[in-house]
Amino acid sequence: SQQGEEDPQALSIQEGENATMNCSYKTSINNLQWYRQNSGRGLVHLILIRSNEREKHSGRLRVTLDTSKKSSSLLITASRAADTASYFCATASPGSARQLTFGSGTQLTVLP
Amino acid sequence: DGGITQSPKYLFRKEGQNVTLSCEQNLNHDAMYWYRQDPGQGLRLIYYSQIVNDFQKGDIAEGYSVSREKKESFPLTVTSAQKNPTAFYLCASSIKVMNTEAFFGQGTRLTVV
């Protein structure tokens, strides 16, 4: 079953603008991860935020986590055409050591 | 270069045939995973292995089989019992279980003809 659900399903912005994607999940987690997937390719890990963290930065990426609302957001600042891809959140839950549970993704298109 | 390699990139199967997808990693990771991705969808777990000679079913294991005879290798066989096998298959690995970063291969696109 899919735990994380991204919102919006699709997002189209102009180069230079910021892009925000949201992820909601249902059960308690150990950590939440964001991945990027270019069309027809494998996933690439972007950032991991642990359940006791509220915010994390990596370059132009900023991730927030609100465990009380069971939600996370990924902000990409000053977007570039090369940021065009699908973005997935994935959750790792306590007692479920076997897997990451992925959402259905947000398709981001950055227009030059 | 360290990484995880899937082959082939494209695979065509006739109905009723079994096919095997290859996944090899040289990252010295204990855990390996197979996911299936359908168009516009997220990833669904087929099988996972936390250690050599051990593997467990994921959410959609029916019609698939795996083996883990070597730490580096985790091949997936799509059997004729899988009624809708056309999909994009992704292999991943991690140091231990999935509480750390996962590394993915580039995927195999399987089409039934």
Side-chain angles (χ1 to χ4, degrees):
Chain A
S1 59
Q2 295 187 335
Q3 150 132 281
E5 291 297 330
E6 287 89 342
D7 171 59
Q9 289 187 332
L11 179 61
S12 183
I13 60 173
Q14 295 292 134
E15 208 165 23
E17 293 180 339
N18 295 342
T20 299
M21 289 158 269
N22 302 297
C23 171
S24 60
Y25 58 92
K26 298 174 184 174
T27 63
S28 60
I29 60 172
N30 284 341
N31 66 66
L32 186 144
Q33 304 180 32
W34 285 91
Y35 288 80
R36 165 196 169 124
Q37 183 182 33
N38 284 30
S39 181
R41 307 296 295 275
L43 277 70
V44 175
H45 182 265
L46 296 175
I47 198 164
L48 181 153
I49 187 164
R50 301 191 190 284
S51 60
N52 60 353
E53 298 175 312
R54 292 296 168 258
E55 188 170 311
K56 205 161 184 180
H57 296 253
S58 177
R60 293 184 297 113
L61 305 180
R62 181 173 80 103
V63 169
T64 61
L65 179 64
D66 187 335
T67 53
S68 66
K69 295 181 179 178
K70 291 187 171 59
S71 68
S72 173
S73 68
L74 171 67
L75 169 67
I76 303 174
T77 60
S79 62
R80 307 165 182 168
D83 294 328
T84 295
S86 292
Y87 292 82
F88 294 89
C89 68
T91 55
S93 299
S96 177
R98 62 178 186 154
Q99 64 174 302
L100 283 173
T101 305
F102 286 84
S104 54
T106 292
Q107 172 61 51
L108 173 66
T109 302
V110 181
L111 303 169
Chain B
D1 288 337
I4 182 164
T5 302
Q6 290 184 241
S7 63
K9 187 167 183 173
Y10 299 97
L11 188 56
F12 297 88
R13 188 194 95 172
K14 293 182 179 179
E15 286 193 22
Q17 283 185 338
N18 293 354
V19 289
T20 298
L21 284 60
S22 171
C23 179
E24 304 275 335
Q25 54 100 358
N26 60 4
L27 299 167
N28 200 33
H29 286 171
D30 284 323
M32 296 188 74
Y33 307 78
W34 275 105
Y35 286 91
R36 170 180 170 139
Q37 186 178 32
D38 292 286
Q41 302 294 313
L43 279 64
R44 294 184 289 169
L45 183 67
I46 305 172
Y47 268 98
Y48 67 101
S49 169
Q50 296 188 41
I51 198 167
V52 175
N53 293 322
D54 179 71
F55 50 83
Q56 303 296 328
K57 293 182 179 180
D59 297 320
I60 56 166
E62 186 175 352
Y64 300 97
S65 66
V66 294
S67 63
R68 187 87 186 275
E69 298 175 0
K70 298 186 299 182
K71 187 175 186 177
E72 303 79 20
S73 178
F74 191 41
L76 173 74
T77 297
V78 184
T79 75
S80 57
Q82 171 49 239
K83 297 306 178 188
N84 184 24
T86 295
F88 190 50
Y89 291 87
L90 286 160
C91 180
S93 70
S94 63
I95 294 174
K96 292 290 183 181
V97 296
M98 279 291 196
N99 275 325
T100 58
E101 174 184 0
F103 292 79
F104 281 81
Q106 291 302 300
T108 293
R109 186 166 301 280
L110 173 63
T111 303
V112 174
V113 296

